[in-house]
């Protein structure tokens, strides 16, 4: 049986030579995700209620994480919702959230525990949503995800995705992410971004303080790949999408073209 060769970012299958994404585990970050990001991400997800309400066939959310966006998509819509989440730690929070939401939600949402590239769901959606995922995919996987999304959507369907950064930071930079009080403790994270060749390494250090003293410290590292406008245009055209504009600042509206439109768009 072939074993995978890991370099921390991707793994190469010795049988077929394909470089696949090393899916981040979120085994540390899942615990802190909603505490530190929940308020902001829930607020911005509300902007997607209108496109979700307009869906007539189905919705796919890829990289649903803990379900902060899923919750809005499900409550605003009345169609089947397929959520894709490969990381078990994030999925545990997502499933708990869905279970607490009641029978209407449980009857309409299907959770797929695989990477988006492996989701076979031909023409079952008119809306796909992907927030805070694309930048974390190595280029080969990112291109594969555009093509997968095109298969899930009907021609004319809409893909909403936040635009990855255009450039690497010129030098390492650090910032504090969130600061939330829970009982007598304060939760926060320090994020350090290190440019490394074609990508940026994101080191998260989670800190829990009690009366000013650090009582817990936990770390997890992620990676992001920037994408120029030219690369983005080329990848979208190859996968059969047209950039229509922005749904909200930084969230792109990508229209799935039909076959004839793809040919015209490429020429
Ligand atoms: C930063 S979280 C964003 C979660 C959620 N979209 C949100 O905005 O709160 C990125 C999520 O993408 C998932 N992910 C990473 N690679 C993926 C892939 N190839 N297919 C689907 N999901 C993926 C991760 O497991 C993680 O839960």
């Amino acid at each position: 049986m072939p074993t995978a060769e890991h370099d921390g970012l991707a793994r190469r299958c010795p049988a077929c030579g394909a470089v696949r994404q090393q899916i981040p585990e979120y085994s540390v970050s899942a615990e802190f995700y909603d505490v530190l990001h929940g308020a902001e991400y829930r607020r911005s997800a509300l902007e997607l209620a209108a496109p979700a309400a307009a869906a007539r066939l189905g919705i796919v959310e890829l990289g649903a994480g803990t379900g902060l966006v899923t919750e809005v998509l499900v409550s605003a819509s009345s169609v089947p919702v397929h959520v894709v989440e490969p990381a078990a730690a994030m999925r545990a929070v997502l499933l708990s959230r869905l279970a607490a939401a009641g029978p209407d939600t449980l009857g309409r949402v299907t959770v797929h525990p695989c990477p988006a590239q492996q989701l076979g769901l031909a023409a079952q959606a008119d809306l796909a949503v992907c927030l805070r995922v694309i930048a974390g995919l190595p280029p080969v996987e990112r291109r594969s995800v555009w093509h997968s999304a095109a298969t899930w959507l009907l021609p004319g369907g809409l893909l909403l995705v936040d635009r990855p950064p255009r450039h690497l930071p010129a030098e390492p930079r650090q910032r504090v992410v969130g600061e939330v009080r829970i009982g007598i403790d304060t939760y926060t994270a320090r994020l350090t971004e290190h440019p490394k060749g074609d990508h940026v390494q994101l080191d998260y250090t989670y800190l829990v303080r009690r009366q000013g003293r650090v009582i817990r410290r936990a770390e997890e590292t992620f990676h992001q790949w920037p994408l120029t406008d030219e690369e983005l245009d080329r990848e979208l055209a190859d996968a059969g999408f047209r950039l229509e504009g922005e749904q909200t600042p930084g969230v792109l509206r990508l229209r799935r073209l039909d076959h004839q439109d793809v040919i015209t768009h490429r020429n």
Side-chain angles (χ1 to χ4, degrees), residues 42-59 69-79 126-129 158 160 246-248 251 253 255:
R42 218 176 273 117
R43 209 169 29 248
S44 64
L46 290 173
E47 312 259 12
L48 306 186
R56 290 290 163 265
L57 177 66
I59 299 175
V69 179
T70 318
E71 204 164 43
V72 172
L73 298 176
V74 176
S75 58
S77 67
S78 52
V79 295
D126 46 358
L127 176 67
V129 173
L158 189 61
L160 301 176
E246 289 188 327
Q247 177 72 23
T248 57
V251 176
R253 286 173 63 88
R255 188 65 69 182

Side-chain angles (χ1 to χ4, degrees), residues 21 23-26 33 41 61-69 84-87 90 114-117 130-133 136-137 141 145:
Q21 177 192 6
I23 303 281
E25 290 184 357
Y26 284 83
Y33 196 84
Y41 292 178
E61 186 194 2
L62 61 115
T66 61
L68 291 166
V69 179
V84 188
E85 179 43 61
M90 297 296 255
C114 58
Q117 304 89 304
C130 177
L131 294 187
R132 294 173 278 271
V133 179
L137 302 175
E141 301 293 335
V145 164

